[in-house]
Structures are given as structure tokens and as C-alpha cells.
Amino acid sequence: MTKKVAIIGAGITGLASAYYLKQQDPSIDVTIYESSNRPGGKIQSYRQDGYMIELGPESYLGRKTIMTDLAKDIGLEQDIITNTTGQSYIFAKNKLYPIPGGSIMGIPTDIKPFLTTKLISPLGKLRAGLDLIKKPVEMHNGDISVGQFFRARLGDEVLEHLIEPLMGGIYGTNIDNLSLMSTFPNFKDKEQTFGSLIKGMKYEKQQRIKQRQLYPGAPKGQFKQFRHGLSSFIEALEQNIKHKNVNIKYQTAVDDIISTQQHYDIVCGDNTEQYDGVLVTTPHQVFLQWFGHDPAFDYFKTMDSTSVATVVLAFDEQNIENTYDGTGFVIARTSDTDITACTWTSKKWPFTTPEGKVLIRAYIGKPGDTVVEDHSDEEIVSIVRRDLSKMMTFKGDPDFTIVNRLPKSMPQYHVGHIQQIRQIQQHIRNTYPRLRVTGASFEAVGLPDCIKQGKEAVEELLQEI
Ligand SMILES: Cc1cc2nc3c(=O)[nH]c(=O)nc-3n(C[C@H](O)[C@H](O)[C@H](O)COP(=O)(O)OP(=O)(O)OC[C@H]3O[C@@H](n4cnc5c(N)ncnc54)[C@H](O)[C@@H]3O)c2cc1C
């Protein structure tokens, strides 16, 4: 008999999971339940008047090749675009400082640019140098916070002015709570192998240079996008799986998932459908609504997510003066701003913006603050303009602005997260056969990671149904 699988959520994780399910077993009957009226979840591209504006994520890390491979499989190879490289900055001590050349996520690998930067004091530089002789930092129960680890290796100043703005922003989590082993385990690995982070990252940089020498014509940028935006990837994926008879039910929120001996019942309002297997790809708070009675999932009750908004400002080039030549900046926590980062999108991704216009995208919302919840769109735009006027001059108003609120959208991976997730996954394997749970709340938030997690969950599920 034909086996039936339900996937909950049509974000990138859910859609990619359906793709791999069908690829591995075309005979399976797959239905996706999606509460909103569109696919993509946090991914949303806005295309109008020659602009291509990302309202959620803006690109993906090209070195995680699973997304490029999938894009090729669904016919988007010709549409892949690499970012224009340029100087990035850090706003600290009320000024923009260029990120020292040669650093990887803030960790110095070239001595000269690090010694000459004015972002770090002479004492801070000396302290960072102790990394070369310090013993590996001890972890407790297999994890440590990103803050504690880098403070111990490179000192407070390098952590606060270089590393925290770069790493903290990606995860929307306070750096002193953020789990190193759930986010950047590679740094611990390098420290162990080379006895020093600086030496380890120097090695990593040499490897990247060698890799580039193998492909001399390859673009230099680290990030990838699509000519018609990330939504075009989602639309192509949606079309691909629909052609394989995947049924996508939009505006169909799942109210409950009930586990019976042989099946799972998916309950949506008055309707109940039976499935052999279920893959949940919603944020963990939604999963908890259905499985909160099981104390094995209590961790999710304590796991918060940060609310953020992306704020887009589109200017005529006459109305804005930006003397910095680069692709954008991140902001040190010690700075007095509400925004956390800003991309000069028209410079990083020139294809997104018509000639003669300037496109800026800022992020607002930090862990623990309520700025996104407490203010209207107009107020948020004026907060963003107030902060940005510390770095550039507005000579007139923007042609238009967009505020895209993403409530509870950045899952916070605190110390011990990965161990908790492994226990939870094991509990699910033992207690709920033919059920899998995956997505951004679990092992990683990046778009290629979401695809990879979906693929792995599908492989496990297929062994059980
Ligand atoms: C502001 C921001 C910027 C980011 N920038 C980047 C970036 O540049 N690069 C990068 O790689 N990553 C970035 N990320 C991370 C990345 O966007 C996310 O991790 C990823 O999109 C999550 O995909 P997902 O499919 O797991 O979840 P989601 O996109 O959240 O999808 C889950 C889906 O489940 C649906 N759903 C919820 N409840 C129900 C229900 N009861 N019944 C049915 N359906 C339901 C939702 O409507 C949604 O469509 C960013 C994240 C944010 C918030």
C-alpha cells in the first residue's frame, strides 16, 4: 500500500525535505501543511520597480554547497550570483572602523592589518597575542559560551569590538550565553589542533587561498543569491515538488498531531487525516503546542527566540551621502544604537537596485529588548534613520521604506543546546517512531544547514516507514 507522509511547514526546510523524500522514494504520497498563504517561511523577496529586495534572509554561505547543488538540480544554475566583495566595517566607539584585513570572523590571521587597526588598543592587541601561548580553554559538559571561549583566548577587547558584533548578530543571542559547540565548533577544533586560534585560522586561510588557486576564475565573494531573489529558489522548489505530485495545503494550520499505535493523526480544524510518518519543520514553539505534555520536551519551554525586523530604505542617490566605500557594517554591543547591522545592499548586490538609486537594509532587535514589539513601523524607521545618521548623511527622504517584522524568529542556542537537542532527537526515535522534527530551531539556522537537516531527517524517516 502507498505510504503517506505529512510535512508540517513549507519553509525552506519543509520544501527541501519533500524534494529529498520524493527523490529517494517517488512512490510515497507527500502532503505539506502550511499555515500561511505562501511558501518560503522566513524567506520573502519583494520585487517591484526594478528592485529585488530581501525582507528576511538575504543570501547563503556558498561554501556550504548543498544549496547550490539543489539549485542546480531544480534548474537555477544560471541564476546563481555571488556577492561583490568590499570592505566591511564595525561601528564601535562612535565610529566606523574597517574590519582588519585577513581576519576570519574577527580572528586575526595577518599580523600587519591587526597591528595597525585603531579599533583595538595596544593593550588589547598584546592581550590577543597571548593566544599563541595559552593552553586550550576547558569546557564543562562538552560546551562553553562563545563569549567565555574568545575572552579566554583573545581577551575582552577583541571579543567585544570584533568577534561579538560579527558572531552575535548571526544568532540574535547574547554572546555570553551563545553555545560555541552549537554554532562555531570549528574554532574549538582549531584551538585543539594548533594550540592557538590565530595559528589555526592562519592555516584555514591558507587552505582557502589554495582552494581559490585551484579555480582562478571563480568569484571571490563568500555569499550566494539568485538573480530573481531567494524566493525564486523557493518557487522553483515548489514547482519541482508539485510536478512530483506533492500536495501543498496553504492556509492550513495544523492544530494537533496525535500519535496512535500505527499512525499519526494530523488535525486541522474539523478535519483529521491519517499518515504513516510525519516530519515537523516549524519553529520549536509550535512543536511544543502539540507535544508539550511530554516532559522530555521541557527544554523548548526555556528556549527563547529573538524578535527582529529588517528595515529597508530606498533612496534616490541625490538624497544620501555615504563616504564609506564598502558593503556594510555590524555594530559593537557597547555602542548606543538600536540597530545591530546594516548592509549597503546596492553595493553588495548591485543587481538588486535600479541605476541612480541606493538601497540600504538594517536589522533591529536584540535579545531581551522589545523595540520591535513596542514601536509602529514609522517609529522603527525613524529609530533606524537616527542610528544610520551617525554613519551617513541623509539629504532628503527615502523614496520608500519597508519594515518586515519577524517575531520570535531567531532561535537562541544557549550553552548546552546541542546536547539537549541530541537527547530530544534520541527520545523521539525511541518514543515516537516515524516522527522526525527538524529545522532552524535544532542544529543550525543557515539556509544550507536547513536543507541538510531536512535531508538527514528524511533519510531517517524512510528507514522506519
Ligand atoms: C532576519 C533574519 C535574517 C536571516 N538571514 C539569513 C541569511 O542571510 N542567510 C542564511 O543562511 N540564513 C539567514 N537567516 C536564517 C534563516 O532564514 C532561517 O533559519 C530559515 O529560513 C528557517 O527555515 P525553516 O524552514 O526551518 O523555518 P521557517 O522559515 O520558519 O518555516 C516554517 C514554516 O512553518 C509554518 N508553520 C508554523 N506553524 C504552523 C502550523 N501550525 N501549521 C502549519 N504550518 C506552520 C510557517 O508559516 C513557516 O512557513 C535569517 C533569519 C532571520 C530571522
Side-chain angles (χ1 to χ4, degrees):
M1 223 172 77
T2 308
K3 296 285 183 188
K4 284 174 72 186
V5 171
I7 295 177
I8 322 300
I12 191 167
T13 309
L15 295 173
S17 300
Y19 174 85
Y20 292 115
L21 251 180
K22 277 296 197 184
Q23 187 186 56
Q24 293 184 29
D25 188 344
S27 74
I28 290 195
D29 181 333
V30 181
T31 301
I32 304 182
Y33 289 83
E34 168 55 50
S35 54
S36 76
N37 60 359
R38 60 170 187 87
K42 295 185 176 72
I43 295 174
Q44 198 176 0
S45 316
Y46 172 85
R47 291 160 282 201
Q48 196 178 303
D49 302 335
Y51 285 97
M52 201 300 296
I53 299 174
E54 293 297 350
L55 300 178
E58 65 130 48
S59 58
Y60 68 95
L61 207 47
R63 115 180 103 74
K64 300 194 172 183
T65 50
I66 192 168
M67 186 148 170
T68 304
D69 293 343
L70 181 53
K72 289 178 183 168
D73 288 352
I74 58 176
L76 290 186
E77 182 164 10
Q78 302 307 322
D79 283 359
I80 299 173
I81 292 181
T82 304
N83 66 294
T84 305
T85 51
Q87 181 64 54
S88 305
Y89 294 82
I90 291 193
F91 186 74
K93 302 182 272 185
N94 261 320
K95 245 184 88 174
L96 281 178
Y97 293 87
I99 295 180
S103 57
I104 297 185
M105 287 307 267
I107 298 147
T109 61
D110 280 356
I111 297 301
K112 206 172 154 207
F114 184 67
L115 285 181
T116 51
T117 180
K118 293 196 168 66
L119 177 61
I120 308 292
S121 71
L123 215 60
K125 290 174 190 171
L126 268 179
R127 171 62 188 84
L130 289 184
D131 167 75
L132 296 164
I133 52 169
K134 274 186 149 262
K135 282 201 199 118
V137 181
E138 265 186 48
M139 300 200 292
H140 298 286
N141 299 324
D143 202 358
I144 186 170
S145 80
V146 169
Q148 208 185 340
F149 176 73
F150 285 102
R151 283 181 204 282
R153 293 239 56 98
L154 300 164
D156 289 348
E157 203 179 329
V158 167
L159 183 274
E160 279 160 22
H161 286 158
L162 257 169
I163 293 171
E164 193 274 339
L166 288 163
M167 292 187 188
I170 302 174
Y171 286 91
T173 305
N174 185 320
I175 200 95
D176 290 308
N177 297 327
L178 183 65
S179 156
L180 182 72
M181 298 313 280
S182 311
T183 55
F184 302 101
N186 177 36
F187 290 119
K188 185 67 191 150
D189 202 43
K190 287 285 181 300
E191 180 223 40
Q192 297 277 13
T193 313
F194 293 87
S196 143
L197 257 186
I198 297 177
K199 284 185 194 160
M201 296 325 286
K202 225 178 157 69
Y203 172 82
E204 169 111 4
K205 200 179 131 214
Q206 281 157 0
Q207 295 307 303
R208 289 188 191 180
I209 292 171
K210 271 191 201 155
Q211 189 72 13
R212 212 173 292 143
Q213 281 163 349
L214 284 179
Y215 306 99
K220 270 189 174 171
Q222 287 193 63
F223 300 102
K224 299 212 180 286
Q225 234 297 10
F226 300 96
R227 197 169 302 287
H228 303 291
L230 290 170
S231 286
S232 67
F233 173 82
I234 292 296
E235 286 149 10
L237 196 50
E238 184 202 29
Q239 283 312 310
N240 184 291
I241 58 177
K242 274 186 169 170
H243 277 128
K244 293 170 183 158
N245 292 325
V246 171
N247 177 19
I248 311 183
K249 295 183 181 215
Y250 290 110
Q251 289 181 299
T252 313
V254 171
D255 295 322
D256 208 353
I257 300 178
I258 299 165
S259 150
T260 62
Q261 290 245 307
Q262 295 300 321
H263 299 102
Y264 287 92
D265 286 339
I266 301 290
V267 183
C268 304
D270 296 336
N271 287 327
T272 299
E273 280 269 336
Q274 232 174 39
Y275 290 90
D276 300 291
V278 177
L279 179 61
V280 176
T281 72
T282 64
H284 64 281
Q285 292 94 343
V286 181
F287 172 75
L288 204 55
Q289 290 169 17
W290 309 316
F291 288 88
H293 55 272
D294 184 338
F297 302 120
D298 279 357
Y299 171 64
F300 290 147
K301 294 181 182 157
T302 61
M303 186 183 157
D304 203 0
S305 299
T306 304
S307 293
V308 298
T310 52
V311 182
V312 174
L313 297 101
F315 285 93
D316 192 282
E317 65 185 5
Q318 289 172 354
N319 286 336
I320 182 164
E321 190 179 303
N322 175 13
T323 52
Y324 295 94
D325 187 19
T327 52
F329 57 89
V330 289
I331 298 190
R333 191 170 41 162
T334 47
S335 301
D336 182 22
T337 59
D338 283 304
I339 63 168
T340 55
C342 170
T343 309
W344 292 317
T345 306
S346 34
K347 289 195 175 164
K348 186 172 175 185
W349 302 105
F351 78 97
T352 61
T353 313
E355 199 72 20
K357 303 288 179 186
V358 172
L359 190 65
I360 295 174
R361 221 176 78 119
Y363 291 89
I364 188 163
K366 300 177 191 172
D369 79 18
T370 53
V371 65
V372 173
E373 284 96 341
D374 293 349
H375 295 89
S376 66
D377 285 5
E378 293 72 28
E379 287 166 343
I380 288 181
V381 168
S382 82
I383 291 169
V384 168
R385 284 188 64 166
R386 178 204 64 201
D387 283 351
L388 290 178
S389 63
K390 294 176 181 161
M391 302 100 186
M392 51 193 104
T393 310
F394 299 122
K395 295 177 173 169
D397 287 331
D399 292 347
F400 66 90
T401 60
I402 305 173
V403 176
N404 185 41
R405 288 157 201 274
L406 293 135
K408 299 269 176 216
S409 58
M410 297 191 125
Q412 297 191 4
Y413 289 6
H414 283 192
V415 173
H417 174 81
I418 201 71
Q419 288 87 341
Q420 293 278 359
I421 292 300
R422 287 195 184 129
Q423 275 175 26
I424 286 173
Q425 300 288 29
Q426 197 49 48
H427 174 74
I428 292 175
R429 281 182 205 109
N430 297 341
T431 320
Y432 303 96
R434 293 163 283 101
L435 173 79
R436 286 294 179 274
V437 182
T438 192
S441 292
F442 295 86
E443 296 194 16
V445 299
L447 299 173
D449 301 298
C450 289
I451 296 174
K452 181 167 169 271
Q453 291 178 81
K455 187 173 188 220
E456 288 167 357
V458 158
E459 279 160 6
E460 281 199 23
L461 197 60
L462 280 171
Q463 286 175 13
E464 293 179 8
I465 53 174

